[in-house]
Amino acid sequence: TTITPTFVLAPFLYLWQSPVFLPARIVWAIAFYFLSEIAIVFARPTDADWNPRKIKVHEALHLVAKDSTLRIALPAWTMSLPLRRMRRMKLAFTILEAELKRLADERKAFHLRQTLNNEQLSNGRLPDNRSDLLNNLVRAAMMDEGDLEKGPTGSLVTSSIQKGLTDEEIIGNTYIYFLAGHETTAHSLAWTLALLAAYPEYQDEAVQEINRVWPSTSAAFEPFYENTSFDDYPKFPFVLACYAETLRLFPPVQMIPKVAAQDVSISLETTNQDSTTVAQGADTNSRPSKEVDPFFTSQDSYTSAPHTNFVVKKDTIIMIDPPGVHYNPRYWENPEKFDPGRFMRPYNKDAYIPFGVGHRACLGRKFSEVESVAMLVHVLRNYSVHLMPTSPDGEIDINLSRERFSKASVRITLTPSEVPLIFRRRVHQA
C-alpha cells in the first residue's frame, strides 16, 4: 500500500480550506450533489411512475407535501423533464387534484339536487347535516352563482353568473387545508409522543385522564375499536395541554409574514426580562414588590425598562418569529422546559402563536387540535411510548434523546429528522 506523506498533502489541504478556494468548494459541492442525484433521477421508471392506479391518495399526499416547495420554485415545464422525481411529482399532483375535484363535484351535485328537488344523492352518503370545509366552500360558492334552474331535459344547470369561488379556487383552498392538516399535525404528533416518552410522569397523567373519561371494560380488546366523537374533545384538557406545549416548543411555522397596512410607530422594550411597571405620578423609589407584565397594564402607566422606538412604513413586510415569542422568558417561565401544566393555568394567549394571531390566524386550528387529541387518546390508551436506548447497556439519556429528536429542518413547515420511539401494548384490567 502506498501512503502519501502528510507533509505533501498538508499544503494542498490548507489551500483548499482557505477563503481563496471558497468559490471552488461551493462549485464542487453543487456538482457533487447533482452527480449523485443523476443516478436516482434517471433511474429506470416503474409502473408507479406512469400508472395513477399504482399510487394511492395517501401516497400522493405524502409526495405532494414533500415536493410542494420544489414545485413552487421550479417553472412548470420542468415537470415534463425525463426525471424520475419529476414524473412522480407530476403524477402525485395530478392524482391529488383529481381526487379533490371528485369530492368537490360530489358535494356540488348533492347541493344542486337538495336545492332543486329537496332530495339527497341516490347513494345517500351525504346527510343533510353534513358540515365540513369542502361542503361549506361548495355551498357558499353555489349561493353566489345565481339562480339554479333545470335544463330542457331536466338536467341540473346553473346560470353563467359567477360571483363566488370557482372550482379551481375551491380545490386550491381545500388543497391547502388538506396539506397543512396532514403535514403539520403529523410532525407535531410525533414530537408530542417523543416528549411524553421523555417525561413519563406527564404520560402517566395523560393516561389517568383518559382512563377516567374512558375506562376500559375488558382485559383484552382491539386497539381503536371504540370511536371518539367531537363531543369527547373537551373531556381531555390535559391531553390538549400536552399537544399545546409541544406546539410551543416546536411551532410548525417558523416565520409568519405580515404586511403593514399603514405607517405606524412602535415602542419596544430592549429586554426580554420582566420589568417593573410604575404608575404615572408614583414615587419611583417605592416600586411594587411584585413584577407586572406591561402587556396587562393600563395605558396610564409606564415601565421602567429601557425602550427603543422605530417607525414601520406602510407595505413593509414584517416577519413574526414564533420561536422567539415561545422561548421568551418574559412570557414563559423556564421556556426550555416541557411543562404541559402551564396550559392548565392562566397564560398570555397572545404569546402563544403556533397558529398565528389576529383575524388571519390559521382557520385549521380547531381541526388540528381535535384531530390530535383524538389520535393521542387512542394511542396512549392502548400503548405506552418509550425512548430508544442511547447506550449499548440499554440506558436512556434524556438530554441526548431530546437533542436527537429535536433535530429538524424547515421545509414547508418544521420537519423532524427522526423520532425513534418504542410502543408497548398496554394491558387493560377488567
Side-chain angles (χ1 to χ4, degrees), residues 110 114 118-120 126-130 135 139:
F110 166 71
Q114 188 181 50
N118 194 25
E119 64 180 15
Q120 298 182 2
L126 293 175
D128 291 344
N129 60 352
R130 181 162 185 158
N135 220 35
R139 184 188 300 113

Side-chain angles (χ1 to χ4, degrees), residues 305-373:
H307 284 66
T308 182
N309 299 313
F310 60 92
V311 175
V312 178
K313 295 293 186 179
K314 181 181 178 180
D315 296 329
T316 300
I317 298 177
I318 305 168
M319 304 300 291
I320 300 176
D321 180 20
V325 177
H326 291 176
Y327 285 85
N328 192 334
R330 179 184 183 84
Y331 305 112
W332 305 101
E333 183 179 359
N334 298 322
E336 302 282 345
K337 181 182 178 182
F338 176 69
D339 179 16
R342 70 175 86 241
F343 288 93
M344 302 294 286
R345 306 183 294 268
Y347 65 94
N348 186 349
K349 292 180 172 56
D350 287 325
Y352 177 69
I353 55 173
F355 299 98
V357 66
H359 296 294
R360 294 187 178 273
C362 177
L363 58 84
R365 174 172 183 169
K366 181 64 71 173
F367 169 75
S368 173
E369 292 176 341
V370 172
E371 178 186 26
S372 300
V373 167

Side-chain angles (χ1 to χ4, degrees), residues 6 17 39 49 55 64 94 120 141 145 172 180 190 199 205 214 223 259 261 275 294 345 400-401 409 430:
T6 304
Q17 294 295 329
D49 292 320
I55 297 183
V64 167
T94 301
Q120 298 182 2
E145 277 186 343
Y199 304 96
E205 187 172 350
W214 196 7
V259 178
S275 59
R345 306 183 294 268
L400 183 60
S401 295
S409 59

Side-chain angles (χ1 to χ4, degrees), residues 204-216 235-239 344 381:
D204 293 341
E205 187 172 350
V207 172
Q208 290 174 8
E209 179 181 74
I210 294 169
N211 290 334
R212 284 197 304 269
V213 176
W214 196 7
S216 58
K235 301 176 184 177
F236 303 99
F238 188 78
V239 176
M344 302 294 286
R381 185 180 186 232

Side-chain angles (χ1 to χ4, degrees), residues 34-262:
F34 279 102
L35 288 174
S36 62
E37 285 290 311
I38 286 177
I40 300 176
V41 297
F42 284 103
R44 182 179 179 181
T46 62
D47 291 340
D49 292 320
W50 306 106
N51 189 351
R53 295 184 179 180
K54 296 294 183 179
I55 297 183
K56 298 180 180 180
V57 174
H58 72 274
E59 295 173 334
L61 178 60
H62 175 73
L63 291 173
V64 167
K66 178 181 177 182
D67 291 331
S68 286
T69 304
L70 190 62
R71 175 71 181 270
I72 294 173
L74 296 178
W77 59 266
T78 58
M79 298 299 105
S80 301
L81 292 176
L83 307 178
R84 184 179 185 184
R85 185 172 183 181
M86 296 302 178
R87 291 195 300 265
R88 292 181 68 85
M89 185 195 310
K90 183 178 180 179
L91 185 59
F93 275 91
T94 301
I95 292 172
L96 186 59
E97 183 179 356
E99 178 65 15
L100 293 177
K101 187 177 187 304
R102 182 190 68 80
L103 293 174
D105 290 342
E106 183 182 77
R107 303 297 200 279
K108 180 172 287 189
F110 166 71
H111 286 298
L112 282 169
R113 294 185 181 278
Q114 188 181 50
T115 302
L116 294 176
N117 303 323
N118 194 25
E119 64 180 15
Q120 298 182 2
L121 289 173
S122 58
N123 56 25
R125 287 184 297 173
L126 293 175
D128 291 344
N129 60 352
R130 181 162 185 158
S131 178
D132 54 44
L133 177 72
L134 182 56
N135 220 35
N136 294 337
L137 287 174
V138 170
R139 184 188 300 113
M142 294 178 63
M143 290 175 62
D144 290 336
E145 277 186 343
D147 295 331
L148 299 174
E149 58 184 13
K150 285 188 177 181
T153 61
S155 60
L156 301 175
V157 298
T158 62
S159 66
S160 60
I161 302 175
Q162 179 66 47
K163 300 178 182 178
L165 296 174
T166 64
D167 289 346
E168 291 75 14
E169 290 170 335
I170 292 174
I171 293 174
N173 279 275
T174 308
Y175 161 74
I176 292 297
Y177 195 80
F178 212 72
L179 179 63
H182 168 84
E183 186 83 354
T184 59
T185 304
H187 297 160
S188 299
L189 281 172
W191 269 314
T192 303
L193 292 172
L195 288 167
L196 290 176
Y199 304 96
E201 65 273 18
Y202 294 123
Q203 182 176 170
D204 293 341
E205 187 172 350
V207 172
Q208 290 174 8
E209 179 181 74
I210 294 169
N211 290 334
R212 284 197 304 269
V213 176
W214 196 7
S216 58
T217 57
S218 60
F221 59 91
E222 290 298 322
F224 314 110
Y225 179 75
E226 300 179 65
N227 294 322
T228 53
S229 67
F230 182 76
D231 295 334
D232 296 321
Y233 163 72
K235 301 176 184 177
F236 303 99
F238 188 78
V239 176
L240 178 60
C242 293
Y243 182 64
E245 177 69 346
T246 301
L247 293 179
R248 186 188 68 81
L249 293 171
F250 300 98
V253 180
Q254 297 290 286
M255 285 290 179
I256 303 176
K258 298 288 184 180
V259 178
Q262 61 184 13

